[in-house]
Structures are given as C-alpha cells and as structure tokens.
C-alpha cells in the first residue's frame, strides 16, 4: 500500500478526461498527474486551462503529447485511458508491458462474451495479445469486484448507463429474488455529456433543448456489460436509453417482477445488506426515490424503489453523475481499491 | 351541423385554458369565445393579455367573472371547463341543465369504475345528479370514441399522459396481439406545464432544472383512465411518470410483450389500419421513433416503435404536446367531432 | 398586385430556411414553394420531413437540387436565398438576370459602406456586376423601407440582432431626441439557433447549457447594418452580443441618453407615432418591458422602455424571435410589401 | 488567531444557507456547525438532508429551532444570518450583545446612506440600537475591506449582483481612470436561485424557461451598495438586472468610458496590481472574456475586458456563482479574514 503514486491521463481534453484531471489534482495520494494529449490531436494546447478556463488559477495543468519515454521518465504507476475504445485496445497491452497499471474508461476491455464484443468491431493487430490482455481485465465497479480490483493490472472502468443499472439490480438478482424469465425493463435517461465533446448534429443545442428522444433501442453498446455482470440472457433485458436536455446526470427507471411477493422492508433489507461497507452507494428508504440533482458532482450512486401493492412489481430508480460515478469518479474509486486505500479517498 | 357556434371557457388564465383561448381565437367556426375567470379568483384581470402579453395586439381577450346569466345572454353553445376537478364536478351538471354542451378538461368525468374514481375524493352535494351526469359523459379521445362524441352533451377530455399511452397501445391491445398478463410498462416523461400554473416547490425553476424525477409511482390519477380505455386489470399496468426540465411535451416509452412473435411490418400494419382516417395521429415507420420536439405546438400524437429480434418484445414511443393534443387541442378536436366538422378544423 | 405567386427557397434545410418553408406552406397567396437544396450538399434528401419530422403529415415537402432550369420551368416569381453570404453574393445577380425577384437572408447585400462590408471578405468574380446588384438592394425592414420595398427586385433581409436594435432605436434617433455623441450601448442576448445548424464546439449542448457568454465584442458583423440604418458613426455604438442557453429568441437591452429630459409619455408617444400602421411592432406602455417568451413563434418585434427619474437615461428593451421577425418571418413580410399585400398576410 | 471555532447558521434551509452549511461542513477550521431554522418556520425538519438529499450520507446535518440559550450553550463564535433583512435587522444587535460575531447575508447592514436604505423599509423597534449596530458593520468584500474585516464584529456580506459589479469596476474607478460623469452601464444577468427558494409566479419553471427578462430597472436594491462602494452618484450608474433560465451564476457586462485613451495592456496592469494578493479574483488577459460556466461552484469572481479601438470605450465582463462568491462562499471568505486565516481556507 504505497503512500503516494504517480498518475497519468491520456485524453484529458474530453469531458471524462477533464473531470478525471480535476479529481486527481485534489487527490491526497496522487502526485501531480501527467496529462497527455493523444499524439497530433487537434485540440492539443499547452495548458488544459486554455480549453477549460474553469480550472485556471489552480496552479496549472500542463498538457503534453503522449510518449512512452515520458511515461517511463516520470515513473508513472497508473495510466488512465480516457480514449476511444480502438485506442485503448492498442495502448493498454503496451502500457502493461511497460509495467504500468491501466484504468481504461472506454469499452475496450469490459466484455468477455465475443458476441457482445462484436458491436465494437475491434480490429486488433495482435489478436493473441489482445486476448491475453482481456483475460487480465477486471470489470471496474468496486461494489461488485472489490477483491479482484485489489492489485489489478488492468481495470475496465464500467460504462455510465451500465453502472446505474447494475448497481440497482445486483442485490436482488444475486439473491435470486427476481423473476428473470419475466424480463427486466431498464428505461434510462442521460445528460448530453455522455455523448462526448465532439460536436455532432445529435449534440447541437437546438436539437437537444426542449426535447427528449430514445435511441439505440435493443442495440446499445452497454447492453453486454449489463448482461454479463448480472448473469442475464439477452432476452431477459430490455434497455432503452434516452437523451435528456441537461448537461450531466443519469436516471434509470428499472422494472422487475419479483420471484415471489415481498414486503418493502425485505427489499430494502436485501439492498442494505449488499451495500453495507459500500460508501459510494446511497440507499433511499422504501418509497423514497432519488432525483438526478442529488448526485450531481458526487461519486454517489443513489438507489430507491417503490413496490406495488401486489408485492411483485418493483420499480427501482437509480441516479448518478455520468462523468463522476459513471466515469472519472469511479476510475478514481477503482484506483483507491487497487492500491488498498480508503475507497472514497479524494472523492468526498 | 351548425356553421358557427358560440364558445366559452372557464379558467382561461391557466396554462391549458390559455392555450384553448388561443386555439378558439383562430378557429374558423367559433365566434369570439367568452372567457370567464372563476368568480373571485385572484388572478382575475380585465384582459387575458395582461397575464399573457404573448397575445397582445391580436384584438383583445376580455375576461369576465363567471355568471350563468352571461352564459345565457351570450347564447353559449359549448362551455369548456379548464377548472379543478371539484369545480367541474359541480358546474358540469348545472351547465347541462342550461342546455349547454360541456367539454371538461379535468378528471371529473373520465372514470366509470368507482374504485378508480376514489383517488379524486369527489364530494358531490347531489350524488344522484352526479351519477346521472357521469353516465352521459363520453371519454374524449376522438380516435377511439368518434361516434359517441358526435352530438355528445358532455365530453370528459382525456388526460395528457393517458392520451399518449392509450393511443400508443389501443391498436395492438384491441387486436388482442398483446400478452396482457405479462404486464405493460409505461415509462412517461412530461414537461412542467402539466403541473399547472400555481407556483409550488415542485415547479420552482431551481428544483426542476438540471434534474429528472419520477413521481406518483403506482398511484398516479391517470392510471384509471388507461385501465378503463384499454380494458386492463390494475396488475397489468405499471405506469411511472417523470418530470422533465422542459416547459411542455410528453414522451411515453411503452414496453409490451406480444402474444406471439410478429414481424415489424405486421405491427406497423396493425397501427396503420387502426389510425386510417385519424389525421391527428402520425405513425412512424418501423424502427423510427418520434421525439418530443416534433409534436410541440401541434395537435399530433406521434407514434413509433422498435421490435426486438425475438419478435416479442416491443418498445413503443409516443409523443405529444401536453397542452395541445394532451389538453386544449384535443378539446377542440372533440368539439369538431361533436358538431360534425372536419376533425382538424382550426388545428392545422 | 398578383393574387398568387410561385416562390422558391434555396437552403430550406437550415434553421431559417426550414422556418421559411413552413411559413410559405401556409401563406394564402403563395403556391406550394419549390424547395431547393444547394447542389451536392450533404444533407440533401428527398423530403424535408426526413430532416424535420416536425412537418411530416402535412402533405409533403419535396426537396430538389438547385438548377436554373427548374427555376424557369416552375415559373418562380420570388427566390428566397437562405444561403451563406458568399453563395448569395454569386447567385443573386444571376437570379435577377433571370427576371426573378430575390429576397436574400444572408449579409451579402445589406451594406453600402465598403469599410463595413470588409468584415465579410467578399470575393466577387465580377466586381462590377456585384456593385450594380448592390445598388439595387433594398434593406429589408418594412417598418423603415416600406416604399422602396414595393416592387423591389432585390431585398437584403435584415440581420436578427440588427432588427431588434434598429426597430428599438429608429423612432427616437430619427426624431433627433437621442444624444448620439454620448454613445449608445446595445447589450443583446440571443438563442442558439442564430448560430446556424452546423454543429460546432460553440453550439454543443454542454458548452451552452448552464452558461452565458459574450462574444464578438466591438466586431460583430451586424454592427455595420445598425450604423447605416440609424445614421450613426462607429464610435457612437457599442454592441455586445451574448449567447443564451435557449434555442431561439433575442432580447436587446439598449441604453441611450436623451438629448434633453423627457417625460415617459412623450417617449411613448414618439414610438407610437412612428409605428402607427406597423402591425408587426408591439409597443408596451412606459415602464412595462417585453420578455423573450412573448414573441416566440410570432413575427412581432416587442418594444418597451423605462426612463430614469432624471428624464435623460433611457433603457429600451426589444424582443423578437430570431428565426421569425429576425429572419424567415421578416422575409415573408418583405415579400408581402413587395407585392402590395397585407403586411401580415400568412404571418398571424 | 484561533485554531478552530464554533459556527452557527440561521436559515440553513434556503439556497444560500444550504450552500453555507455545505461549505462549513468541509471547512478545516470550523467545528460542526449548529444549523438553526427560524422559530416555527414551516420547512423545519429534523435533518437538513430531508430537504436536500444531496447531502445525505455525509454524517448528518441536524436542524434545530433557533434559541439564544442554544447559542450560548454551544459556545458559538460566529453566527451566520441567512435570513430576510427584517430578521437580520432585529437579531444582529442581539447576537452582538451576546458577544457573538455576526456575518449577515441579507441587505440589512450594507448601506450607510439613509436614502439608499429607504428601499428596504426597515422598521426598527430600537432605532438608536440599530444605528449603533450599523456603525459597526463592515461591508463584506474582502478584496476591498480586508483590514476592517480583521476582527470585525459584524460583517454585511455583499449582494451577489453588487459583488460582480464592484469587483469589476473598483480597480479602474479607484485609480480615477474612468469618466464617471459619462455614466456607467451595468447590464447583469442572473440565474434563478438568486430569487430565493420561496415559490412564486416569477420562479415557476414555465415562466423562466425559454425566456429572458429584465426587471427592477433603475430601482434594484443592490444599486445603493454599488454607488457607496465605488463612490458614485446615482445618475452615474445605470444598472439593469435580468433573469436567466439557469439555476445559478451571474454575468455582468459593464460599459465604461475611460477618462483618456488607454492601451489594453495598461488596463490589464491596473487590474492585476489591484488584485495582487487576492486569490479569489481571476483576471483574464485583455480580449479574453469569462463565461458563467467557468466560475460555477467556485468562490472565484472572473473578470475580463475588451477595449475598443478608440481606447476609450471599455467593456468589462465579470462572472461569479451567485450562491458562492455572491453569497455563502464570500461569507466564508469574510470569516477567514475575520480570524486571520488563509483567505481561501475551505474554499478551494
């Protein structure tokens, strides 16, 4: 358990990467992070605060183009990849070969099942190396994989939607209280930063404002993660993401049928037991529901539920900030677990 | 089929009432509407455009306190009640006794089943009269009740959420293509004007902006309408409304299991047949989904769907403007049908 | 004064062009408009409602690539150019040569003073033709140029910011009641659609939401129009545009010093006289101020003011919808004046 | 210079009071704050996180009704009043009599000039005591009153608009570089939380969204503060506040005429000298302007400017978070100065 470590971030100019740079800057056990742009990228500037004046006046966030020599010279212990999945797929094995821990925020290493992976269309130059790397990856939700994360070499930080859904369902599904064959409906709504910083028609203010839209019905990339982590079959999950006219935040409304009728107190008890010792999940009392606002700019996943009078139909609502618990904050939480520190270090 | 009629609105100062006043002002068969405030109400002013400068410069919208004599003196043919349900419950019978047609925008007359009605806590002074009146009421969705609406004395204009859900489900449910026992999930999201003009903590800008929240899970007032119109049992419907950070618009994401596997084309065909001759429903091709923006400020209900590869799990998305097709526009559409005019008269 | 005419629009896929297509579709004197895409443009599709499902179900808006032969074959009377200024600069002379009236929504033909024009960096292939064309152009604010617009061959539709500022100031400036040497401050705020449909970092939802920013201080392109139309010298005007987190609407707060102390009633009287006979300007009583909401989706420019107790410092507030009175609506209004019709035809 | 102190807040349930409770909870030198509701107030609950679930899971924020005995028993060193001005007017003298330092967030003690005070309509039961108390009050902007704030008994925390304007203007005005007789225009725009938590028609989501409105032109309460702190005469300042459709943040666009032509570098130098040693002001380079987003959730006031080519017309833009540097954050900054601590303690 080292007292302090040296971190580095590739892709600090994107929304999740920037959030990560900010979190690391105030983490008591992280030395000043090395912030890399990807080689030759258009937005490369000398200082992060030229792109994000939000952080000016806080001592400087110099950016430098990525080079392996720099990584070695600075003695980097953990490399965070806030990069497109195809970049992560290529760089993670190389970083591991350099003896550096990797926490990857993309979808590159989250999936085991090749059928689920197909949606990403990976084109690995060295397939064998890729497979070997994949085998090392630990799925990055500490509440579910705390032990494997300790000393892990490669963490596949969980997807934002996936985190909100998996955390809401894991206690009841693992306790076999859910009628899986009935099917689970996950109706999720996300703020726009989840779509990334690249301007597109879809993220144009005029297209998003005063609007709500469903997209990627039955074919969103996060589906595979949810299935694998919860041990579900594809037909058991219907997941519909929606784009909300807000910058950040996710709310998932989740519909399950319980295997047999329960009392609200028993549902709550099941969740409380599961998350005892998990400080980043906040459980609401039966019948009380979280709202997106409550968890913004925090690393909490908030979970509440309402049970129908029949004791069978259960509506679970979970909320989180897609850039924090859904990305950068969870990455830091994973790092904390990896090095044996307090799970909330630098996240309160 | 009269060429023109005299209309009147009670409650023109609320959001739905104001929308109605605007629609009637440009309706080619409606004489200038009489706009009543409710007696003694605080917001009573001489002109509607003092409250809503939006309509100033359009010839004046004088407001007058409600009096039955005025109703008679002006020869009112149709009285629109944009009033709280307890007011509608009292005034509708009296208006009918005066020989005036009534289109009520509240929940006062929509329900048959006394158990569903209980949620409104009606306190009728003359229960027998109330029952007799209720028996006359026609549920106000023209796409489902066109014949009964013709010459109807009392129309119970449908609820905004209910309209978006009933129109999405009616074709498949009536064709018995849905596995009702599996249960239907309706995840609806609405803009804030649905909560009315009265300022409350819930509608305070700071509470709504940058937020999303679910509310009234398993006990929203519109549930009864949906059950009755679709012929469902209570356990067959799970309906969760959410409050969106936008002023107007509803999107309902609806999850059903088909009784047996279908092709997308067959689902689309079922809907197209059902809505042939219904100009206010716009059907999207299989796999294309409506967004809230598309239907704002129109009287359309937009409906689209995506069918899972298994041919059983169906996601239907429907959108409408809660103040137009979800309230005032549908009220005008009901009036058009009542008098035998073109259903879209004054609504294009 | 023709009973009906044939119109055409180039650039109907942009925000202003689409608004124009919608307005023309319901104009009682315009035959179904020919909607051109610019040759080879990426967003070219067969139907406008594929890009804007908002208008589906209204009878079809077929799009076709621009060709001069089509223009002739369809007998187009007026060509609206909703195109970038460099395109307008090239096409307007050619359209005029074909004997077609042109209403141009870009900045190509608004300015007389070459120094003000310099900001547009025009590169005319035939400079002499361009100058000749420019000499024909009438600045397109009907309230100021009604006579010249009648039968005009080329109308340079006014800029959105410029319209809101010029209309607010014209009455007092023309009546020489303003101390021009003191300087006029115009602090304007606009919704995002003013920046166009092309996605850029500046129009990304996450950059605009929860934000406000000033831009182009002392060098916005509309400055020249304001100076010319009001007869001001550059040092007499300070104009600061801001980007608002809303899709549409402009509010300009304008600060002037009166040449000598006045009573509010006299200021109001000056404005009322000036706009007598101008149905698209709504004047508010002294001390009452318009808000952006009031004029959205209308062709009104709303103007109000508050005068300081000293009778000298005057704050004028003007509001309009940048896509209607600030672009497409004013273009239709200009067309109405051009052909001698009621100025509000198709705009109520 | 005490190592730690005991703080208390009255009015922790309002927006500014809640922000203050959060800031104090993480202040390294403040013991757990005593959070008082005002006696008998409706929103009184046992825990602040029942009203604001945002802070649940952070160890509890118990609320208790205000009592002087509690104040004494807990040994409170500083009492923060986040109360209406009439309450502050009554309680501050009593708290001082108990030997407790007071930092008041209302307008009760900010003004010296009785004419400016008149707008608040104070009704002091003991006018002599009120006058005596007022004489002790120090205006709470540390950048201007650092020395007087040290060991001050009563701090009148500055208004949010006033802070954004005073900090932008103080360097140039104090250096006598501004032509005051020409007049200064301050066009300010604020998020809705500035209007408080009480729901009113003005703060209803539907009235604010998609809108912008100017209000209190020539008669906003903060005008007196600005005049006094900058040494201006009433006719020298025109201040127009606007209500923005965002929850928080202020941007002020300020127009001044310099006494004689200057170079941008000289303007910047004047500001840099003034704010040397003031870590909570961030100055932007000449021609670069702050945006509201940059300062949200921070205690910074960001200031930038653009100078016209004539070297005389200067546009200054300043931004801050109205609940932090405009209220609770500045209150903590004032406390830090009062006790001789690092000015940014607990605010980074």
């Amino acid at each position: 358990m080292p007292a302090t470590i040296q971190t580095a971030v590739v892709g600090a100019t994107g929304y999740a990467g920037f959030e990560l740079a900010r979190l690391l800057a105030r983490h008591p056990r992280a030395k000043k992070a090395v912030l890399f742009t990807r080689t030759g990228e258009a937005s490369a500037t000398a200082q992060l605060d030229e792109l994000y004046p939000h952080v000016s006046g806080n001592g400087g966030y110099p950016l430098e183009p990525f080079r392996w020599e720099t990584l070695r010279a600075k003695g980097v212990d953990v490399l965070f990849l806030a990069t497109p999945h195809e970049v992560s797929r290529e760089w993670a094995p190389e970083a591991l070969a350099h003896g550096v821990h990797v926490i990857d925020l993309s979808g590159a290493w989250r999936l085991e099942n090749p059928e689920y992976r197909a949606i990403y269309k990976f084109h690995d130059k060295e397939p064998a190396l890729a497979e070997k790397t994949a085998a090392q990856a630990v799925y990055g939700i500490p509440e579910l994989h705390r032990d494997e994360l300790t000393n892990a070499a490669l963490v596949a930080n969980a997807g934002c939607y996936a985190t909100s859904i998996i955390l809401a369902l894991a206690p009841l599904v693992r306790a076999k209280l859910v009628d899986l064959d009935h099917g689970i409906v996950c109706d999720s709504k996300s703020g726009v930063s989840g779509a990334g910083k690249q301007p597109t028609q879809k993220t144009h203010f005029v297209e998003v404002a005063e609007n709500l839209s469903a997209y990627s019905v039955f074919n969103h990339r996060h589906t595979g993660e949810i299935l694998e982590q919860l041990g579900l079959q594809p037909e058991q999950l219907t997941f519909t993401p929606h784009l909300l006219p807000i910058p950040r935040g996710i709310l998932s409304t989740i519909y399950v049928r319980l295997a047999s009728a329960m009392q609200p107190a028993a549902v709550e008890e099941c969740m409380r037991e599961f998350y005892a010792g998990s400080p980043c999940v906040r459980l609401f009392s039966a019948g009380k529901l979280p709202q997106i606002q409550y968890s913004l700019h925090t690393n909490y996943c908030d979970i509440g539920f309402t049970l129908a009078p029949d004791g069978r139909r259960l509506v679970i609502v979970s909320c989180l900030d897609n850039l924090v618990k859904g990305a950068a904050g969870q990455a830091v939480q994973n790092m904390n677990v990896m090095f044996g520190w307090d799970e909330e270090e630098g996240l309160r």
Side-chain angles (χ1 to χ4, degrees), chain A:
Chain A
M1 194 166 83
T4 62
I5 57 164
Q6 178 63 54
T7 63
V9 179
V10 187
T13 59
Y15 291 139
F18 171 59
E19 193 76 24
L20 188 54
R22 280 209 281 195
L23 288 172
L24 291 173
R26 66 183 202 211
H27 195 289
R29 291 177 179 278
K31 293 175 208 158
K32 191 178 169 70
V34 185
L35 304 181
F36 289 120
T37 62
R38 284 181 286 131
T39 313
E41 78 186 5
S43 59
T45 56
Q47 290 283 336
L48 189 56
D49 62 7
E50 289 171 34
L51 275 171
Y52 294 96
H54 312 63
V55 292
S56 72
N58 287 307
Y61 288 75
L63 288 168
E64 44 193 306
F66 183 81
R67 281 197 199 84
W68 292 108
E69 309 90 79
T70 314
L71 205 71
R72 278 197 307 273
K74 303 259 185 175
V76 169
D77 299 293
V78 191
L79 179 66
F80 291 91
L81 296 175
T83 42
H85 58 81
E86 63 274 16
V87 175
S88 297
R89 199 78 186 168
E90 191 180 334
W91 292 19
E94 191 157 354
L96 293 174
H98 280 80
V100 175
H101 294 262
V102 174
I103 298 177
D104 177 36
L105 279 75
S106 85
W109 307 101
R110 294 177 191 155
L111 297 169
E112 291 191 13
N113 187 327
E115 287 180 34
Y116 300 159
R117 272 191 214 165
I119 201 168
Y120 283 101
K121 301 195 176 74
F122 296 139
H123 292 296
D124 301 313
K125 289 177 196 156
E126 300 183 64
L129 177 61
E131 280 312 308
K132 200 186 124 204
T133 306
Q136 288 181 269
V138 179
Y139 189 76
I141 293 189
E143 288 77 7
L144 271 72
H145 300 282
R146 207 167 270 124
D147 290 348
E148 305 138 85
L149 286 167
T150 308
N151 299 315
L154 171 59
V155 175
N157 210 55
C160 51
Y161 281 125
T163 300
S164 79
I165 291 168
I166 293 166
L167 287 174
L169 284 168
L172 295 164
V173 167
R174 299 223 168 159
K176 300 194 188 305
L177 296 171
V178 174
D179 176 357
L180 299 181
D181 287 333
H182 182 82
I184 296 172
V185 166
C186 298
D187 191 283
S188 296
K189 303 89 175 172
S190 172
V192 184
S193 57
K197 195 174 195 290
Q198 193 65 28
T200 64
Q201 205 66 53
K202 185 181 170 179
T203 61
H204 191 298
F205 185 86
V206 176
E207 309 294 317
V208 178
E210 304 303 292
N211 205 5
L212 183 75
S213 56
Y215 65 98
S216 297
V217 184
F218 293 117
N219 64 8
H220 191 276
R221 284 178 175 172
H222 289 185
T223 308
E225 297 175 42
I226 303 166
L227 296 176
E228 288 194 349
Q229 294 300 314
L230 295 174
L232 303 178
Q233 295 306 307
E235 320 80 55
Q236 293 173 333
L237 177 71
T238 298
F239 165 45
T240 308
H242 299 73
L243 190 64
L244 277 175
I246 60 176
R248 55 204 285 168
I250 285 179
L251 182 147
S252 290
T253 313
I254 299 167
Y255 301 85
V256 304
R257 179 153 306 208
L258 296 176
S260 56
M262 294 177 71
Q263 293 295 321
V267 172
E268 191 178 332
E269 178 60 18
C270 169
M271 291 185 176
R272 291 213 180 272
E273 270 184 30
F274 194 91
Y275 289 119
S278 284
C280 296
V281 171
R282 292 192 296 197
L283 295 173
F284 284 57
S285 306
K288 301 229 166 174
L289 299 176
Q291 304 184 5
I292 278 186
Q293 272 192 353
Y294 302 162
S295 58
L296 289 184
H297 303 285
T298 80
N299 194 51
Y300 291 117
C301 177
D302 287 341
I303 302 175
F305 70 89
T306 299
L307 186 59
D310 59 22
R312 297 288 299 278
R313 289 173 297 144
L314 178 69
V315 176
I316 311 175
V317 173
S318 76
C319 293
L320 53 76
D321 185 322
N322 57 298
L323 294 178
V324 189
K325 182 60 174 166
Q330 185 147 268
V332 170
Q333 191 187 352
N334 283 322
M335 176 184 77
N336 290 340
V337 174
M338 185 185 264
F339 290 102
W341 302 326
D342 176 354
E343 201 164 315
E344 285 188 291
E345 190 83 62
L347 292 169
R348 275 182 206 95

